[in-house]
Amino acid sequence: MKITLHVWRQKDANSQGGMKPYEVDGVSKDMSFLEMLDMLNEQLIVQGKEPIAFDHDCREGICGTCSLMINGVAHGPDGSTTTCQLHMRSFKDGDAIHIEPWRSRAFPVVRDLVVDRSSFDRIIQAGGYISINAGNAQDANNLPIAKHSSDLSMDAAACIGCGACVASCPNGSAMLFVAAKIGHLAHVPQGQPERAKRARNMVAQMDAEGFGACSNHYECEAVCPKDIPVNFISEMNKDFMKASLCGDS
Amino acid sequence: MAFQLDSKIPEGPLKDKWTEHLFNMKLVNPANKRKFRIIVIGSGLAGGAAAASLGELGYNVDCFCFQDSSRRAHSIAAQGGINAAKNYPNDGDSVRRLFYDTIKGGDYRSREANVYRLAEVANSIIDQCVAQGVPFAREYGGLLDNRSFGGAQVSRTFYARGQTGQQLLIGAYQSLQRQVAKGSVDMHVRTEMLDLVKVDGHAKGIIVRDLVSGEIRRHAADAVLICSGGYGNVFYLSTNAMGSNVTAAMRAFKRGAGFANPCFTQIHPTCIPVSSEHQSKLTLMSESLRNDGRVWVPKKAGDDRAPRDIPEGERDYYLERRYPSFGNLVPRDVASRAAKERCDAGFGVGSTKLAVYLDFSDAINRLGEDVIRARYGNLFQMYEKITAENPYKTPMRIYPAVHYTMGGLWVDYNLQTTVPGLFALGEANFSDHGANRLGASALMQGLADGYFVAPYTVGNYLAEHGCMNADEKVTTDHAAFDEVEKEVRDRLDRLMAIQGERSVDSFHKELGLIMWDNCGMGRTKEGLQKALKEIPKLREEFWKNVRIPGDATSFNPELEKAARVADFLEFGEIMCHDALDREESCGGHFREEHQTAEGEAMRHDDEFAYAAVWEYMGEGKAPEMSKEILEFENVKLTTRSYK
């Protein structure tokens, strides 16, 4: 296959960026999207040009490092997929593909398609944990947890922190990411003592980082590679309201 | 100059060693803990758990990772589970049995005392993780569920769907971020350790490169912990993440840390086969699938029929045939070799003929598609995305791939390397898995080292050797930092100055092929000698002809890769030396000259019951080997049988 790429190039956070065209020939349908970019980079390096910087690591859809807006859609056209799992069989010969970095004020561009997502870490630091030191724990089976609750917790905990939800939200909201962490810990008994404080502090940090608010577009749910449902956002709103009105009790 | 290897195994009966040692170790009082600074390299299960735990104890911690967040370390990709001897299923498990299975699974090439301690602390890990909110799978009664893994006849594996590593890592990450918020841990993301600084023989700091700004920085500390994972990417294609590398361990090796058993590599039997030359990595299909999947090839060589058209009687379920008591759940090394044997003999399937079937149809008929989906849904989905085939309808095609490295920096019972003050945890050390790691034991070891071993043993080192007087502490102004920083800068300048014709990846791929062909699943004297000629040649070409675009003073992923590949090009040679030297087959190390008539690994315990510890002897010189003789007082060395 022959593909035309239009790729966002930007030297660093302070430079002006822009789209640049590239032709890639000899793309096979079994290649992953990132392997197609590897091939282009290999050509650019041999030609003495600067390769395209993009984030990636595990290449099996779990580390959350890879990103990319592909033709305007976070992680590309296939549902429930990270960019690293997207394969070229989802495209056809002669296609033009536009590739941009995650778009959000809270994710400044580092170079080309690489962005800085440290705001997510700071939101977790604000309360996305259970306060327990190593050594404090009781026997694991002393705390039975209904399978249904545990499964719900796991549904939320599946979040990989990639930021696709933010990149595709018209408001640049991080509410699905924050709600996933709050939901993970709210559905198990261990998370109860700090539940109210957690919701209040994490939401406050999210606002401080410059993420927008949710206005129910549900774009986040549509692009989430791990299919985290938006009802976790409703639950988070409930926890946040309750914490705001009743304090930490 | 050979190493004086003192494993510091405590005296006394096996089951009392750790308890006694805990009592005998010196403590640092709470007020003094904040006078010490500890560097942790890596933020995976070992590093993340260690950094968080040391921070909780009151130490000052600097933790480094090359990823953009500490949540992304490759521990996250572990799928199947984590072992512990809770004996919740009441099927006869015990600390002793977990110890025994791990020693036997490692083909009697690990240290008894360390393995016993691992089995002992494993139960606390499950407790700790549940308390952190890790959503392990549960039964309807609300209690924890277990499943079986290879090399064991009890169900002792705890799991969180097919994302156990992710959930455990997020648990450690949350604890780590809590310490960051408290100010006890400084987290340095997108920062890579490029060298170790020693003062008077003790590890006192590191030189790092900020991967965004390109800035070279110095960090001083009272102890350094290397938790940087394994070196499987020396093969280029592996199940490791693209960034996984040997650099931190290799730098430590060059500064005097012994490297033990580098040739012990785990080739995992169930991975998605290589499909093209453009492939950048291999994807694992969890071992847990062998609970319900049956492995087979056609009985007739070259049978091209679709798998569903091959009748039952014409299929060879070769693992069940060869190993009736363990069947599809034989350990990884055994399953991998058996797959290679069938494919080499012409019975492989798929377009490349380098694959075997992993078939779920019996389980689906017995349990229903819903049950199988609940157990393995995400794995099946991952398989379908990569291959465009539906494993509910047609068997998976799988083939072995490089997955884990049992070798690593040599450590004593305290996890300290041959350099005082330098510790190695998790996959980066060598101690617990011998020549073959059992499934669901990597997560166990990483967390054991990080939560429950290093926090005590590092404290013991600091109590004995740490300097509490702020005026006498080594700072980054020390001449040793000047010297090492200059070496780091010179090396990066040399790399940038080459401006040759070939990309870094092209060298990495070529090295990977040499390693896979000669130091992979089957090794011979001839092949290893050939590799030992080819690798130096390739390395020489690399230093003349690699092309790194951009500059060293800004974000430059090609430079990062080049520095890592330069280390792999040296490290590959050490692996081949080790593989050549070990004239026996054990676990994942299969020397074709040493096999039984049935093609099983043949150990030579009289000559090789030791850990081979390699020492750096200087630029251009062959490394030298010292031996730590492994003494087995609590298990009888037998030929491993899973028949």
Side-chain angles (χ1 to χ4, degrees):
Chain A
M1 298 197 290
K2 193 170 172 182
I3 305 278
T4 307
L5 298 177
H6 299 272
V7 184
W8 183 264
R9 304 299 310 258
Q10 181 175 340
K11 192 172 182 330
D12 54 40
N14 303 318
S15 309
Q16 181 89 35
M19 301 297 279
K20 289 230 173 86
Y22 299 89
E23 299 284 325
V24 206
D25 209 351
V27 175
S28 97
K29 66 176 178 32
D30 290 328
M31 275 180 178
S32 74
F33 194 83
L34 296 183
E35 283 164 0
M36 182 272 295
L37 286 180
D38 288 343
M39 192 167 88
L40 171 61
N41 274 348
E42 174 77 30
Q43 290 166 14
L44 293 175
I45 291 165
V46 173
Q47 290 162 12
K49 294 179 184 153
E50 187 93 354
I52 297 159
F54 59 92
D55 258 329
H56 63 102
D57 199 28
C58 79
R59 294 205 177 188
E60 50 188 276
I62 194 73
C63 74
T65 311
C66 67
S67 53
L68 306 186
M69 298 298 285
I70 299 168
N71 288 337
V73 180
H75 290 306
D78 293 5
S80 319
T81 303
T82 56
T83 293
C84 67
Q85 292 180 301
L86 177 66
H87 280 66
M88 293 310 292
R89 63 179 82 94
S90 300
F91 300 90
K92 53 185 196 302
D93 189 32
D95 271 1
I97 306 175
H98 288 72
I99 311 176
E100 298 161 84
W102 278 170
R103 299 179 289 205
S104 166
R105 185 172 44 172
F107 290 162
V109 170
V110 172
R111 170 164 302 175
D112 297 341
L113 304 169
V114 175
V115 298
D116 177 352
R117 285 170 286 198
S118 52
S119 46
F120 271 13
D121 285 340
R122 290 188 292 273
I123 294 174
I124 300 297
Q125 284 157 25
Y129 50 75
I130 286 167
S131 295
I132 173 158
N133 288 357
N136 283 352
Q138 59 170 350
D139 185 88
N141 260 355
N142 282 353
L143 186 70
I145 303 174
K147 187 173 187 310
H148 174 69
S149 307
S150 178
D151 285 348
L152 272 174
S153 172
M154 180 66 213
D155 288 345
C159 171
I160 57 174
C162 63
C165 45
V166 175
S168 47
C169 175
N171 308 333
S173 170
M175 284 180 81
L176 191 61
F177 167 77
V178 180
K181 182 47 62 197
I182 287 176
H184 160 207
L185 300 175
H187 282 281
V188 288
Q190 306 92 303
Q192 301 314 312
E194 297 168 288
R195 183 169 174 176
K197 196 172 101 186
R198 178 181 306 119
R200 226 184 33 237
N201 291 349
M202 288 181 75
V203 169
Q205 187 63 36
M206 173 179 80
D207 292 344
E209 296 289 348
F211 292 103
C214 173
S215 49
N216 301 316
H217 284 77
Y218 298 170
E219 292 279 341
C220 52
E221 184 184 74
V223 298
C224 176
K226 298 296 154 187
D227 299 323
I228 311 237
V230 288
N231 43 332
F232 285 113
I233 297 183
S234 328
E235 291 180 11
M236 173 179 77
N237 285 336
K238 206 162 71 184
D239 276 11
F240 179 72
M241 286 289 277
K242 196 171 159 217
S244 309
L245 295 172
C246 309
D248 286 351
S249 57
Chain B
M1 188 179 71
F3 286 126
Q4 297 301 311
L5 298 168
D6 178 2
S7 57
K8 302 212 172 80
I9 299 171
E11 295 295 316
L14 189 63
K15 65 179 178 39
D16 298 333
K17 285 182 193 291
W18 181 233
T19 314
E20 282 297 307
H21 192 58
L22 280 172
F23 178 72
N24 290 329
M25 277 190 289
K26 296 202 172 71
L27 300 172
V28 179
N29 95 43
N32 285 336
K33 286 196 176 87
R34 60 175 167 266
K35 294 177 182 163
F36 292 114
R37 182 162 288 278
I38 299 165
I39 283 172
V40 178
I41 309 297
S43 64
L45 289 183
S53 305
L54 290 164
E56 288 162 5
L57 286 170
Y59 295 106
N60 303 296
V61 180
D62 280 301
C63 183
F64 298 82
C65 70
F66 69 80
Q67 297 91 341
D68 75 326
S69 164
S70 53
R71 68 178 293 151
R72 309 216 194 273
H74 198 58
S75 306
I76 206 160
Q79 298 168 351
I82 175 165
N83 287 331
K86 285 282 196 186
N87 194 32
Y88 287 155
N90 198 29
D91 56 0
D93 203 4
S94 62
V95 167
R96 173 90 193 177
R97 190 175 296 283
L98 175 55
F99 156 76
Y100 177 76
D101 287 347
T102 308
I103 283 272
K104 177 187 171 194
D107 218 357
Y108 308 98
R109 291 294 175 264
S110 44
R111 194 189 283 151
E112 274 191 345
N114 287 52
V115 177
Y116 194 85
R117 174 178 63 193
L118 174 68
E120 245 180 316
V121 303
N123 288 345
S124 306
I125 297 171
I126 303 303
D127 300 341
Q128 176 66 20
C129 294
V130 166
Q132 287 171 338
V134 169
F136 282 123
R138 286 174 186 272
E139 303 276 11
Y140 282 101
L143 301 178
L144 293 162
D145 189 23
N146 286 111
R147 61 185 173 198
S148 305
F149 253 63
Q153 288 173 311
V154 293
S155 291
R156 63 160 70 102
T157 305
F158 295 81
Y159 65 101
R161 293 191 189 148
Q163 293 123 284
T164 317
Q166 180 202 25
Q167 293 309 313
L168 297 178
L169 184 64
I170 286 174
Y173 162 75
Q174 289 175 184
S175 292
L176 181 59
Q177 294 303 317
R178 174 170 162 249
Q179 293 307 309
V180 172
K182 285 189 167 177
S184 54
V185 177
D186 280 329
M187 188 66 224
H188 307 265
V189 301
R190 292 201 199 266
T191 307
E192 184 158 24
M193 167 180 163
L194 291 183
D195 219 327
L196 175 75
V197 180
K198 289 196 322 190
V199 175
D200 298 330
H202 287 245
K204 287 292 178 191
I206 58 170
I207 305 292
V208 300
R209 180 167 180 270
D210 179 322
L211 300 180
V212 176
S213 68
E215 196 190 335
I216 304 294
R217 280 202 290 262
R218 306 169 176 198
H219 289 271
D222 300 283
V224 177
L225 277 54
I226 294 192
C227 315
S228 53
Y231 47 83
N233 273 349
V234 69
F235 292 91
Y236 185 70
L237 283 181
S238 82
T239 65
N240 286 189
M242 302 302 285
S244 301
N245 66 79
V246 76
T247 290
M250 189 69 193
R251 299 287 111 197
F253 171 71
K254 287 195 155 182
R255 299 280 169 200
F259 208 110
N261 302 331
C263 80
F264 287 174
T265 314
Q266 176 159 84
I267 316 275
H268 196 293
T270 53
C271 300
I272 301 177
V274 177
S275 69
S276 82
E277 58 178 306
H278 296 292
Q279 196 133 357
S280 57
K281 83 152 269 157
L282 297 171
T283 302
L284 175 75
M285 287 287 105
S286 167
E287 177 161 318
S288 61
L289 294 171
R290 288 195 273 144
N291 271 289
D292 288 305
R294 297 177 70 196
V295 177
W296 63 275
V297 291
K299 276 188 178 161
K300 199 173 88 203
D303 191 335
D304 278 335
R305 286 176 292 176
R308 288 282 171 265
D309 297 337
I310 300 179
E312 197 61 28
E314 294 174 41
R315 301 175 178 192
D316 177 16
Y317 295 90
Y318 59 87
L319 289 176
E320 296 168 30
R321 168 171 59 79
R322 284 179 66 177
Y323 309 100
S325 66
F326 280 69
N328 293 294
L329 282 173
V330 291
R332 293 175 175 178
D333 54 336
V334 176
S336 289
R337 272 200 297 280
K340 180 178 190 288
E341 187 277 330
R342 284 293 81 189
C343 293
D344 288 350
F347 295 90
V349 301
S351 58
T352 58
K353 301 288 172 206
L354 285 176
V356 300
Y357 290 125
L358 178 61
D359 195 338
F360 296 89
S361 50
D362 279 1
I364 290 172
N365 291 338
R366 189 174 70 245
L367 304 164
E369 201 172 301
D370 286 351
V371 173
I372 295 300
R373 194 181 304 278
R375 282 184 191 166
Y376 313 111
N378 69 316
L379 300 171
F380 277 43
Q381 190 192 39
M382 198 192 296
Y383 181 86
E384 187 166 0
K385 273 181 196 146
I386 293 172
T387 62
E389 285 177 1
N390 177 353
Y392 294 101
K393 305 278 175 234
T394 187
M396 287 184 178
R397 281 174 296 111
I398 52 157
Y399 196 69
V402 175
H403 179 56
Y404 185 90
T405 51
M406 284 74 68
L409 292 171
W410 183 87
V411 290
D412 62 18
Y413 189 71
N414 295 319
L415 305 182
Q416 184 170 254
T417 67
T418 53
V419 175
L422 180 70
F423 295 76
L425 280 61
E427 192 179 351
N429 76 26
F430 89 109
S431 71
D432 294 355
H433 306 298
N436 173 58
R437 178 175 66 74
L438 289 183
S441 287
L443 303 183
M444 173 172 71
Q445 188 222 341
L447 290 179
D449 289 359
Y451 286 134
F452 298 116
V453 181
Y456 312 125
T457 61
V458 172
N460 181 55
Y461 166 80
L462 293 172
E464 280 184 348
H465 301 282
C467 167
M468 280 191 291
N469 186 340
D471 298 333
E472 291 167 20
K473 274 191 188 284
V474 170
T475 67
T476 53
D477 297 331
H478 194 283
F481 279 90
D482 295 340
E483 209 174 297
V484 178
E485 183 185 322
K486 184 175 182 304
E487 285 179 39
V488 167
R489 287 182 184 278
D490 288 350
R491 191 159 183 270
L492 293 175
D493 290 345
R494 260 178 76 204
L495 281 168
M496 291 307 301
I498 301 167
Q499 291 307 324
E501 304 284 327
R502 285 179 62 179
S503 70
V504 176
D505 281 355
S506 74
F507 284 101
H508 196 176
K509 283 182 189 176
E510 196 174 331
L511 173 67
L513 271 181
I514 297 175
M515 295 303 293
W516 179 249
D517 288 345
N518 301 296
C519 199
M521 260 196 290
R523 301 158 175 190
T524 62
K525 185 175 180 181
E526 199 189 4
L528 290 162
Q529 283 171 337
K530 187 164 134 254
L532 282 170
K533 288 203 186 81
E534 287 174 359
I535 298 168
K537 262 194 240 156
L538 185 64
R539 187 169 61 229
E540 199 184 327
E541 199 203 332
F542 173 88
W543 281 99
K544 281 187 188 142
N545 199 24
V546 73
R547 173 181 295 207
I548 304 164
D551 55 51
T553 53
S554 67
F555 189 70
N556 191 344
E558 287 297 312
L559 175 60
E560 294 166 30
K561 278 197 283 186
R564 292 171 194 155
V565 170
D567 284 330
F568 279 132
L569 281 163
E570 289 185 64
F571 184 73
E573 209 178 331
I574 304 166
M575 281 176 74
C576 293
H577 277 297
D578 188 40
L580 186 61
D581 213 69
R582 193 171 279 278
E583 286 273 3
E584 66 164 348
S585 294
C586 56
H589 170 65
F590 193 70
R591 281 288 299 269
E592 288 175 9
E593 300 94 328
H594 303 277
Q595 53 180 308
T596 63
E598 298 94 49
E600 304 292 345
M602 202 200 288
R603 291 197 323 265
H604 299 306
D605 293 330
D606 44 341
E607 288 175 86
F608 292 97
Y610 61 75
V613 188
W614 295 85
E615 181 177 9
Y616 181 67
M617 303 308 292
E619 197 80 47
K621 291 188 186 145
E624 283 185 12
M625 194 258 283
S626 309
K627 297 173 186 175
E628 181 201 340
I629 304 294
L630 299 168
E631 290 176 29
F632 295 92
E633 292 164 353
N634 298 278
V635 295
K636 207 168 133 258
L637 274 65
T638 55
T639 298
R640 249 179 353 148
S641 169
Y642 294 95
K643 291 183 190 297

